[in-house]
Amino acid sequence: MSGRVDQAEMRRANMSLMLRSLRSGDPRSRARLATETGLSKGTTSTLIADLVGLGLVREDERERTGAVGRPGTAIAIDGGRVFGVGMEINVDYLALTVVDLRGRTVHSAVAALDIASTPVAEVLDQLARLIEDAMRLARARDGQIVGIGIGAPGIVDLESGSVRFAPNLGWHGVAVARELAARLGPAGPPIRLENDSKLGAVAEFSVRENQDIEDLLYLSADVGVGAGIVAGGRLMRGWSGFSGEVGHLPIGPQGVACPCGRTGCWELNVGLNAFLALAADQGDVVHDRSVPLEERLRALRGRADSGDGRVLAALSTLAANLSIGLSVLVDVLNPRMIVLGGYFPSFSDFLLAPITAALEARRMDLGSSAILVGSKLGLTSAARGGAQLVLEDVFEDPTIAASK
Amino acid sequence: MSGRVDQAEMRRANMSLMLRSLRSGDPRSRARLATETGLSKGTTSTLIADLVGLGLVREDERERTGAVGRPGTAIAIDGGRVFGVGMEINVDYLALTVVDLRGRTVHSAVAALDIASTPVAEVLDQLARLIEDAMRLARARDGQIVGIGIGAPGIVDLESGSVRFAPNLGWHGVAVARELAARLGPAGPPIRLENDSKLGAVAEFSVRENQDIEDLLYLSADVGVGAGIVAGGRLMRGWSGFSGEVGHLPIGPQGVACPCGRTGCWELNVGLNAFLALAADQGDVVHDRSVPLEERLRALRGRADSGDGRVLAALSTLAANLSIGLSVLVDVLNPRMIVLGGYFPSFSDFLLAPITAALEARRMDLGSSAILVGSKLGLTSAARGGAQLVLEDVFEDPTIAASK
DNA sequence: AGTAATTAGTTCGGGTATTATTCAAATGAT
DNA sequence: ATCATTTGAATAATACCCGAACTAATTACT
């Protein structure tokens, strides 16, 4: 597991503890941090001094405790100097998000792009341009970007940072990390590539930092369906990063062939196309791929709100089919929370209640109940997760922020 | 995550590293251990001295390196002083295994017992007697038992060490740990209760320590079917220990009611009763519960070997039904290895090939292939896992062996 | 207003674990 | 026999944490 521990490592671990302790909760005094972490007051002071030196933490205004005694100086995470960049490569857009150390989004950009008709090299050029914008922004604020986390809808090789296979992108063996590093030059931050559903799970997990949730399941869905799993507070990747490939579970329509080669895949029931087909006729505007997806979903949502029987029936069917697959995942994974992402949150009002009821009906023990919610992160979910992933490195080893 | 690190914790971590390093591979000299761990020679020597003092490690004979230079003194894990005890509570037997620090079984016992007709208090008495035997054995060898890991087929509350619900035992809210502690008195080792499938996974994982397998799925089956999941080298428990409750996945016979209240549960297809019903008529000896299960399985195995069409057909059906569920688990978890436990290993020759073929046929990428094997641990699987679980604590913090 | 009580944060000595270096011991090669 | 090589112990230097003492800032009490 863990390696050799010397004084430097000890220091690093305690800096990490201090920074993570500071992340959860309000700014507070050194004295309070000392008792919280169990470190002595002296150590706490020198750790804070080091973290201030790294630009990760700063003194806030005085702490108004209201109690007796000398008031302390509140210490807060400094959001202005260190940034994580997250990106998402998807079928019809590229997204970028810059998140500061406090978890706040300081910049985001979306570039519409029809990936099918764009050469890979050009996509990479455009990604590089987005990153360069972010780098300029960081420079202007006299801050630094500690890393770039990129999500792609497909199979990713973590080591090499390449997309092995992304059917919806039409990509096969694209060395994203290497290509981008070449374009960005030596000043480019380290690049991490990951499956988009896994990044979505990371994003949802980090948003719920203070809710004491260590086991979370994130379900993303547009055309394809995938899951990201956080187990025991850690992203679960499986042997080779294939965990959560739930779109093709054999719990869909019996016998129906799926483009993947199997039959009866779940996403034939709960994927975007299945839902749209149920909810509207072929000529309907919601099928028009030249209209942005969000707009089409808004339209359907509007019809549901006004009582359109067809859409309501589609939602009811969708809820039932989702329930089947989710109950499988609940039995296997026992998550504390299930977050529905992708196109589902647009219909939370119609999906959450029936699915929750279905899961409850199957529940054998109180311990296997899960909290079902819709994602509130929207499109930025995977990009945000990418940024959180690289920021996590700073919390794990604050000294990496030293390179100026 | 991790807490404060001081000098004592630093020492503990390095002792742990040293001991774990020693576990994998042959006995070797201090100098070699120093280069392997990255610690200095001086530190290595003092760490070894401490570990010798704790009775965890001893000097072996001289190391014959064959190379030039002064030969070193090989250091080996001392198997004679520290033991872990594992137990299993099952429907018709109690099992106990004593495992030494080197992972070798030094003692085991099985007590036949019809749990249905035995009062809980008496079962606990008998468990306590088995443990007392093991404690005597440890005392006779001038060693100590660092803990007792107990597996039960059901829902377990880890904190309190109690069985919340074990349908096959007919148990409801039995405070196993507390009751046993009361019977064993103050000299009793700490007791850990865990679900038996999870312990099986731990056992299989520890047996494959040197095979570089970090993601493993263990499937246990007698009447009930359950899974234990090791992900990233760690036992996955889920929010409340319910992970791996796969027996009641809705991928079994459509519409057939299960005692659990659901319909179409997987174990109605792949559980022991389903298989026996397929393989032999009602009056057949294999259905006679007064005959030990192993004997009945041997009989069936014999029939299969001699070409009994009924049994072969049953095995073929079983393989097909297992394939469906396993493919679900592979998609969700992406294990490197799947170990079949329970009654399956008796029929490995007939099950492994067709299931492997079925999984391969569904595979989308090389990265999602899993190695399928039958368990070789037999009945002792869960008990062995329990022992490994408590021994793991010693590897994590060698100082706990200090209490004499 | 003045003193006591309380809490914050710094300073410093002590303890401990690590590393690097030095040195004696044991062996193979020349 | 002598030298090179490797092991393992001994020693000095360094880094970090802890605890106690101390200064600082504020409230509570008389």
Side-chain angles (χ1 to χ4, degrees), chain A residues 164 240 262 331 362 365 367, chain B residues 164 240 262 331 362 365 367:
Chain A
R164 281 169 64 165
S240 50
R262 302 179 181 178
D331 282 353
R362 284 180 54 89
D365 186 287
Chain B
R164 281 170 63 166
S240 50
R262 304 179 181 177
D331 282 353
R362 283 180 55 87
D365 185 287

Side-chain angles (χ1 to χ4, degrees), chain A residues 194-396:
Chain A
E194 186 54 280
N195 168 271
D196 59 347
S197 299
K198 291 190 176 66
L199 290 188
V202 170
E204 296 294 341
F205 176 63
S206 74
V207 163
R208 289 169 177 79
E209 197 91 55
N210 297 320
Q211 287 177 51
D212 203 33
I213 287 169
E214 296 278 277
D215 300 88
L216 180 145
L217 172 69
Y218 174 76
L219 193 70
S220 77
D222 37 69
V223 175
V225 173
I229 302 161
V230 173
R234 301 199 319 178
L235 179 63
M236 180 183 174
R237 304 199 75 254
W239 167 48
S240 50
F242 274 71
S243 69
E245 289 296 324
V246 299
H248 302 280
L249 291 181
I251 50 178
Q254 293 274 328
V256 178
C258 178
C260 77
R262 302 179 181 178
T263 62
C265 294
W266 191 29
E267 72 181 38
L268 297 177
N269 262 349
V270 299
L272 178 63
N273 290 342
F275 172 66
L276 292 181
L278 274 178
D281 285 321
Q282 210 32 256
D284 197 293
V285 63
V286 302
H287 290 288
D288 182 356
R289 295 197 54 188
S290 69
V291 178
L293 178 59
E294 279 157 309
E295 201 169 308
R296 292 184 277 154
L297 292 176
R298 245 194 320 275
L300 278 172
R301 167 65 202 240
R303 294 186 206 170
D305 282 334
S306 57
D308 181 320
R310 172 100 184 243
V311 175
L312 290 177
L315 284 168
S316 169
T317 304
L318 177 63
N321 288 327
L322 269 175
S323 299
I324 295 171
L326 286 177
S327 72
V328 169
L329 295 172
V330 165
D331 282 353
V332 175
L333 301 169
N334 183 216
R336 180 66 190 116
M337 175 173 272
I338 301 171
V339 182
L340 297 182
Y343 77 90
F344 298 137
S346 306
F347 307 100
S348 283
D349 293 345
F350 302 91
L351 294 175
L352 297 185
I355 298 174
T356 300
L359 292 178
E360 281 297 299
R362 284 180 54 89
R363 188 166 57 70
M364 293 182 176
D365 186 287
L366 262 174
S368 60
S369 74
I371 303 164
L372 182 74
V373 300
S375 168
K376 292 195 174 110
L377 296 176
L379 269 187
T380 68
S381 172
R384 203 195 149 75
Q388 289 290 354
L389 201 68
V390 297
L391 284 174
E392 203 54 41
D393 293 345
V394 180
F395 285 99
E396 212 49 53

